[in-house]
């Protein structure tokens, strides 16, 4: 397995601390001392594979700790924070990711046996050990960077194989739960997208449950099962992440940023911001600006 990891690392030698495009559809790579502020963001739906070093991701009250080689699943857009650790052998942190394509996944689900039992259906996100077959298909995918003329024909096949390994693995149920909702009258996905686009507005849980065609209790349970957050926590973290951008990049005052993202109480905003980012809004923005961000 180490030979495979070494070759993957060589192929990803051009990665930077920003998500780096590979020329492969939806495949990104990143390595090095990734700034902590960059990892406080709204994560896109993806499968992330840590090759070297480690990564910690906080989603609500859950803390997901990964040591390479292992992978994680982000099934839908969700706010999270995190930090990375360099490898103990002196090598830089390195990870690759493939962004989820709903159409590809739904098509694959038709041909994938449902081997997941109810015991896996819990709210906790988990770090999944990367098996040799899983790493081998990633290696085949990344080798295509050397033969771009083969990407159009082979990358879709390798993408399906990567997704297949995830679907039959420990976190496969999470993808099934999310995307099976598209084939029914209910859709948590639509509700998540609505909150994502309207997070500055106040709303009642009943409104979202109706949007997803579910009872309130069922909706709340499934929303948290997929995102790791309650709808209110989800909205709050979206607000705080947006406020940070306004403070750091747009020169907003603390009061203006709080009101702009939907807070009615500036003192409440200060408390929740400090709890989430570990520093007051003014101090956090000042430090980020001094870093030249």
């Amino acid at each position: 397995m180490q030979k495979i990891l070494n070759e993957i690392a060589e192929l990803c030698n051009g990665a930077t601390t920003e998500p780096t495009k590979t020329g492969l559809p939806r495949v990104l790579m990143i390595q090095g001392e990734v700034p902590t502020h960059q990892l406080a963001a709204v994560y896109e739906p993806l499968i992330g594979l840590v090759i070297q070093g480690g990564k910690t991701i906080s989603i609500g009250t859950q803390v997901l700790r990964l040591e390479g080689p292992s992978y994680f699943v982000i099934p839908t857009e969700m706010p999270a924070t995190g930090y990375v650790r360099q490898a103990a052998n002196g090598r830089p942190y390195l990870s690759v990711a493939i962004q989820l394509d709903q159409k590809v996944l739904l098509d694959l689900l038709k041909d994938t046996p449902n081997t997941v039992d109810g015991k896996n259906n819990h709210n906790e996100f988990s770090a999944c050990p990367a098996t040799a077959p899983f790493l081998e298909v990633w290696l085949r995918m990344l080798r295509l960077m050397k033969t771009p003329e083969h990407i159009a024909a082979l990358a879709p096949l390798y993408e399906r194989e990567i997704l297949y390994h995830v679907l039959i693995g420990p976190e496969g149920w999470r993808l099934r739960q999310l995307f099976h909702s598209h084939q029914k009258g209910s859709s948590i996905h639509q509700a998540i997208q609505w909150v994502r686009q309207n997070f500055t507005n106040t709303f009642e849980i009943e409104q979202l449950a109706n949007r997803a065609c579910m009872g309130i209790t069922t909706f709340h349970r499934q929303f948290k099962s997929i995102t790791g957050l309650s709808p209110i926590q989800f909205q709050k973290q979206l607000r705080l992440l947006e406020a940070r951008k306004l403070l750091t990049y747009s020169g907003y005052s603390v009061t203006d940023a709080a009101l702009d993202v939907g807070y009615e109480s500036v003192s409440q905003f200060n408390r929740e911001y400090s709890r989430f980012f570990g520093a007051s809004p003014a101090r956090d923005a000042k430090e980020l600006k001094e870093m030249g961000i």
Side-chain angles (χ1 to χ4, degrees):
M1 185 180 289
Q2 190 57 50
K3 184 178 179 181
I4 297 174
L5 294 171
N6 290 341
E7 186 174 350
I8 289 176
E10 290 175 11
L11 288 167
C12 296
N13 192 46
T16 70
T17 56
E18 295 279 348
T20 307
K21 292 183 178 181
T22 60
L24 303 164
R26 294 178 291 283
V27 176
L28 304 170
M29 54 187 178
I30 190 168
Q31 74 170 338
E33 297 277 357
V34 184
T36 301
H37 72 84
Q38 185 178 307
L39 296 169
V42 178
Y43 282 55
E44 299 297 322
L46 57 79
I47 307 299
L49 171 63
V50 176
I51 303 297
Q52 295 173 174
K55 183 173 187 176
T56 296
I57 305 173
S58 296
I59 303 170
T61 59
Q62 299 181 47
V63 179
L64 179 62
R65 295 181 177 87
L66 300 104
E67 296 295 335
S70 60
Y71 70 92
F72 61 97
V73 176
I74 300 293
T76 187
E77 294 178 339
M78 64 176 65
T81 60
Y83 60 89
V84 304
R85 299 175 295 281
Q86 307 310 301
N89 59 9
R91 292 186 175 186
Y93 167 82
L94 173 64
S95 66
V96 292
I98 185 164
Q99 297 168 320
L100 294 177
D101 182 289
Q102 178 185 323
K103 185 178 183 301
V104 173
L105 188 54
L106 284 172
D107 185 60
L108 179 59
L109 280 168
K110 299 173 186 176
D111 303 321
T112 305
N114 188 355
T115 58
V116 182
D117 61 38
K119 294 180 182 179
N120 291 332
N121 289 281
H122 51 71
N123 291 339
E124 297 296 321
F125 285 83
S126 63
C128 307
T131 62
F134 186 60
L135 292 173
E136 285 169 0
V137 66
W138 269 103
L139 178 56
R140 293 198 299 274
M141 173 73 91
L142 293 168
R143 279 175 177 164
L144 291 176
M145 292 190 292
K146 290 186 174 182
T147 56
E149 67 273 19
H150 300 323
I151 289 176
L154 296 179
L157 303 179
Y158 298 153
E159 179 180 12
R160 281 176 61 92
E161 191 172 349
I162 288 170
L163 292 175
Y164 179 78
H165 280 284
V166 174
L167 281 169
I168 62 174
E171 287 281 87
W173 69 270
R174 197 178 295 280
L175 296 181
R176 294 175 186 276
Q177 183 181 39
L178 177 66
F179 288 102
H180 274 172
S181 70
H182 288 272
Q183 299 175 329
K184 301 176 182 179
S186 62
S187 179
I188 288 290
H189 182 75
Q190 290 179 9
I192 291 170
Q193 289 298 310
W194 188 90
V195 177
R196 178 83 173 86
Q197 296 164 11
N198 299 276
F199 63 87
T200 61
N201 299 332
T202 58
F203 59 81
E204 298 292 335
I205 299 299
E206 185 177 5
Q207 290 177 269
L208 293 179
N210 290 339
R211 187 174 292 275
C213 303
M214 294 180 180
I216 294 176
T217 302
T218 301
F219 170 77
H220 195 279
R221 183 179 65 250
Q222 291 199 19
F223 191 102
K224 188 167 185 178
S225 177
I226 290 171
T227 67
L229 299 162
S230 71
I232 298 302
Q233 289 174 320
F234 189 88
Q235 178 197 41
K236 180 193 299 182
Q237 293 190 15
L238 290 176
R239 286 179 169 183
L240 294 172
L241 288 166
E242 179 62 21
R244 193 186 214 190
K245 291 180 183 178
L246 296 176
L247 289 165
T248 305
Y249 302 113
S250 301
Y252 275 51
S253 68
V254 171
T255 298
D256 287 344
L259 297 176
D260 197 77
V261 300
Y263 276 86
E264 296 180 359
S265 167
V266 177
S267 60
Q268 180 184 358
F269 169 72
N270 273 284
R271 288 194 303 272
E272 294 182 351
Y273 189 104
S274 299
R275 192 178 304 122
F276 189 61
F277 291 116
S280 69
R283 177 184 170 189
D284 184 54
K286 182 174 182 291
E287 290 177 350
L288 290 176
K289 289 174 183 177
E290 288 175 350
M291 292 169 61
I293 294 165

